[in-house]
Amino acid sequence: MGKPDVDYSIYLVTDSTEAILGKRDLGKVVEQALEGGVTLVQYRDKTSDTGHLIYTARTLHRACKARNIPLIINDRVDVALEIDCEGVHLGQDDMDIASARRLLGPSKIIGATVSTLSQARIAVDRGADYLGIGTLYATSTKKNTKEIIGINGIRKILHFLSVQEDAAAREIKTVCIGGINASNLQLIKHQLYAPDPFSQRGITKTIDGVAIVSAIMGSLTPKASSEHLTHLFHTPPPFSTILSPSPSSSSSSSPYTNKPTPTPTTLLPSILSVPTHNPLSHNMTNLVVQNFAASIALSIGASPIMSTNGLEASDLANLHGGLVINMGTATPEALHNHRLAIRAYNGVGGPIVLDPVGAGATGARREALGFLVASGWFSVVKGNESEILAVAQASGLSFTSSYSSGSRISGGGGGGGGQQRGVDSGSSSLSLLEKAYIVKKIASRERNVVLMTGAVDVLSDGHTTYAVRNGHAYLGMITGSGCTLGTTISAYLAAARMDRKVRRQSDINTVLSTILHYEIAAERAASLSSVHGPGTFVPAFIDALYQLRVEAVRYADAERGAGD
Ligand code: 3NM
Ligand code: MG
């Protein structure tokens, strides 16, 4: 007999403890949550006597049945049998799934808590219908959670399931649990949709729902909270609405996409959009580059503000500018301010550029990067080779498997991954193809644009990958040229979002325009007879950035005149 078609999207798990439920009546809270649209209910009560459990379960079952919502009982197969509800949820220390299946029969729903690959494999083999994967984030609701696995832990299990030979594993339903609430739900869902452009099967497995305790049970308005969470689950986050339209032809295993190369005319609207809209470029950056970054922002036609105070970030985010977070000063206080700013910009869909300065150099910086990556979503992540390898690690990617060319890529591996070189690591250890592979892989996982700078810059959004050979060695001999590229990108992205002509352009093309403006300016400045080295290069570079922008305006005016 077939099981009911279960909607796992907003899975309410109850809690009867005073800390969460207070003095309220469990039945009433669940009733309101049902009115608010939860799609599945689990009665979880670790302390009550059996008689009370059965009585309460019956009450909840009546309420659920009235709305055609399945009721699941945590742990207690006997209680589920007695009230004949729709199923049970079993933790790792509860009755084993096969025994529960024998007692309950084939038509009941059996869910299992898993936090490792082998637990997931075993739960599938023993016939679980869905997996509750956790613990996602630390939560005060469950004190004895065994392991906090974070987004990357959930990703690993989803990926593992998606590459199994058996359809049972590939198709099993999944929810994640632990610390999920209205402030992180959209980000979690966004991060867990992670297509792999190199996957043989092309399968993407994402979660079918989220299991929630305190954000509903602890809410003073369970109905409104459930409605809000349901809305959030089905709505893309503000920051994702400008993502590139995804061309779905990603069957090729080559990291490059065959696309017509953008011409100067296609790049022009981006360059023009900055002086036209004069966007705010909000820099949370280190002391060394503040002055230089502000000058660069002005030269391209943006309005710089150097504010490291997270408390004013939400006011600034409402001005439609772009934020650049430079990890150069990764003190706990700076990180706290960064998190406030990330939330503010993500909340209104404003672009954020992350510059993970020296990310691979020390343990503290790797930790800081993990903290920032867990805080929100970045439109662009920009760094040199070792920084981007650290980003890969923070995204839970390790490049130890061989790529189709047979070459092996090391570094960025999990666990005891190797220590990287210093902040300004110079020479490259990766081939161009390896760089393209890494950048594309991170970008498709994070669903953003990843830019690895170097003598050749490689950038990808997971679909399209570009290599740019422009630039000049002087850029590597002055301080802050990488940081100010981040400033420039943030201004371009902000302007693109304000500009009617550029709005529909994907972010990768906006980033490409930025790099070309920046690096062609560097080439021009370096070739001047008045430039003798990095010192004289700096003012000439600022001039050249400015002149390119002026030329772009003149060119557009002439075009318009010719068209009249
Ligand atoms: N199980 P909240 S975490 C019941 O990791 C439960 O298996 C977990 O509560 C697991 O939504 C958890 O309030 C509690 O964070 C989740
Ligand atoms: Mg249990």
Side-chain angles (χ1 to χ4, degrees):
M1 202 191 99
K3 276 178 247 258
D5 226 351
V6 181
D7 177 350
Y8 288 91
S9 54
I10 302 292
Y11 184 174
L12 171 66
V13 179
T14 71
D15 190 294
S16 310
T17 58
E18 170 110 30
I20 289 176
L21 192 61
K23 297 263 179 272
R24 293 171 304 163
D25 175 69
L26 178 67
K28 292 223 170 72
V29 174
V30 170
E31 186 98 37
Q32 287 167 41
L34 286 165
E35 269 177 47
V38 302
T39 60
L40 187 61
V41 176
Q42 178 189 135
Y43 175 36
R44 178 171 181 273
D45 184 339
K46 301 306 240 182
T47 51
S48 296
D49 293 333
T50 306
H52 180 85
L53 284 177
I54 289 173
Y55 175 82
T56 310
R58 272 215 177 92
T59 312
L60 298 183
H61 198 206
R62 264 196 300 277
C64 287
K65 261 187 176 161
R67 288 185 174 75
N68 233 342
I69 298 294
L71 177 72
I72 306 284
I73 308 289
N74 185 287
D75 188 358
R76 297 291 299 264
V77 177
D78 54 341
V79 175
L81 273 172
E82 173 56 23
I83 69 156
D84 193 29
C85 66
E86 288 64 41
V88 294
H89 183 89
L90 303 170
Q92 288 293 320
D93 303 324
D94 300 339
M95 182 187 291
D96 85 84
I97 299 163
S99 311
R101 178 64 74 201
R102 274 193 297 278
L103 289 167
L104 291 165
S107 66
K108 298 294 185 192
I109 303 162
I110 299 184
T113 298
V114 303
S115 50
T116 66
L117 303 183
S118 64
Q119 286 171 358
R121 184 63 258 179
I122 290 167
V124 172
D125 288 339
R126 297 198 176 153
D129 295 295
Y130 77 88
L131 305 179
I133 313 177
T135 304
L136 173 52
Y137 297 129
T139 171
S140 52
T141 304
K142 191 176 180 184
K143 301 286 187 297
N144 61 339
T145 51
K146 293 186 185 78
E147 210 189 342
I148 311 290
I149 61 175
I151 282 289
N152 290 332
I154 311 269
R155 281 168 167 166
K156 279 189 186 128
I157 294 174
L158 290 173
H159 175 75
F160 170 79
L161 292 167
S162 74
V163 298
Q164 297 299 294
E165 289 303 324
D166 53 323
R170 293 200 305 273
E171 286 162 18
I172 193 164
K173 300 290 180 186
T174 56
V175 298
C176 55
I177 185 162
I180 300 167
N181 57 49
S183 79
N184 58 23
L185 175 51
Q186 286 179 307
L187 180 65
I188 290 165
K189 215 183 147 217
H190 186 80
Q191 290 179 319
L192 289 179
Y193 174 81
D196 180 350
F198 301 104
S199 152
Q200 296 302 313
R201 296 179 196 271
I203 297 168
T204 298
K205 190 164 177 60
T206 186
I207 44 162
D208 299 287
V210 285
I212 291 174
V213 182
S214 53
I216 295 175
M217 296 306 297
S219 164
L220 292 177
T221 52
K223 179 180 174 205
S225 297
S226 305
E227 277 169 352
H228 188 215
L229 290 161
T230 304
H231 169 76
L232 292 173
F233 188 86
H234 295 287
T235 315
F239 55 78
S240 74
T241 50
I242 326 162
L243 283 176
S244 55
S246 38
S248 52
S249 58
S250 53
S251 52
S252 146
S253 65
S254 160
Y256 294 108
T257 326
N258 280 325
K259 283 269 177 56
T261 313
T263 64
T265 332
T266 60
L267 298 172
L268 191 65
S270 286
I271 300 180
L272 288 175
S273 69
V274 182
T276 303
H277 299 281
N278 188 225
L280 196 72
S281 169
H282 176 182
N283 289 255
M284 297 183 101
T285 189
N286 56 55
L287 294 171
V288 184
V289 298
Q290 287 201 1
N291 185 319
F292 188 42
S295 293
I296 298 277
L298 288 168
S299 73
I300 61 165
S303 228
I305 179 162
M306 321 312 281
S307 163
T308 51
N309 182 358
L311 293 177
E312 62 182 6
S314 73
D315 284 352
L316 294 173
N318 281 315
L319 300 175
H320 309 291
L323 171 68
V324 51
I325 290 185
N326 177 302
M327 229 183 62
T329 324
T331 61
E333 192 199 344
L335 289 172
H336 173 71
N337 283 314
H338 291 160
R339 175 167 275 189
L340 291 175
I342 292 166
R343 299 224 161 120
Y345 277 78
N346 275 180
V348 297
I352 311 180
V353 178
L354 175 66
D355 190 346
V357 178
T362 66
R365 282 179 194 240
R366 273 192 295 274
E367 219 168 273
L369 177 62
F371 177 86
L372 291 177
V373 166
S375 299
W377 182 82
F378 304 98
S379 315
V380 176
V381 178
K382 176 213 84 69
N384 62 28
E385 189 181 308
S386 69
E387 289 160 356
I388 294 299
L389 284 172
V391 171
Q393 198 166 348
S395 292
L397 292 167
S398 56
F399 295 104
T400 46
S401 61
S402 56
Y403 170 57
S404 59
S405 67
S407 60
R408 285 180 70 84
I409 303 171
S410 59
Q419 177 86 6
Q420 286 159 8
R421 288 156 292 155
V423 172
D424 294 310
S425 75
S427 63
S428 172
S429 58
L430 298 174
S431 72
L432 183 56
L433 209 60
E434 288 170 329
K435 287 178 184 175
Y437 176 79
I438 291 168
V439 160
K440 183 169 184 172
K441 190 112 177 166
I442 305 170
S444 71
R445 165 159 283 195
E446 297 297 332
R447 301 171 73 195
N448 63 2
V449 174
V450 176
L451 163 61
M452 186 190 279
T453 56
V456 178
D457 307 302
V458 185
L459 63 156
S460 179
D461 64 358
H463 303 288
T464 307
T465 304
Y466 295 120
V468 179
R469 288 175 197 279
N470 294 83
H472 192 275
Y474 285 159
L475 283 174
M477 299 180 203
I478 61 172
T479 189
S481 67
C483 302
T484 50
L485 174 59
T487 302
T488 309
I489 295 171
S490 79
Y492 263 75
L493 290 175
R497 282 149 173 72
M498 297 179 192
D499 196 285
R500 200 171 40 82
K501 287 205 189 111
V502 198
R503 194 173 295 146
R504 298 192 61 82
Q505 167 177 295
S506 59
D507 278 354
I508 183 143
N509 285 331
T510 304
V511 177
L512 181 65
S513 303
T514 317
I515 296 173
L516 290 172
H517 182 175
Y518 199 84
E519 298 196 325
I520 291 170
E523 289 168 13
R524 283 200 186 180
S527 71
L528 295 174
S529 60
S530 56
V531 170
H532 312 292
T536 40
F537 170 76
V538 173
F541 176 50
I542 297 174
D543 284 351
L545 283 166
Y546 171 73
Q547 278 153 8
L548 270 173
R549 152 203 165 186
V550 171
E551 275 171 40
V553 173
R554 209 177 294 138
Y555 180 86
D557 285 346
E559 289 270 284
R560 216 169 301 134
D564 286 345

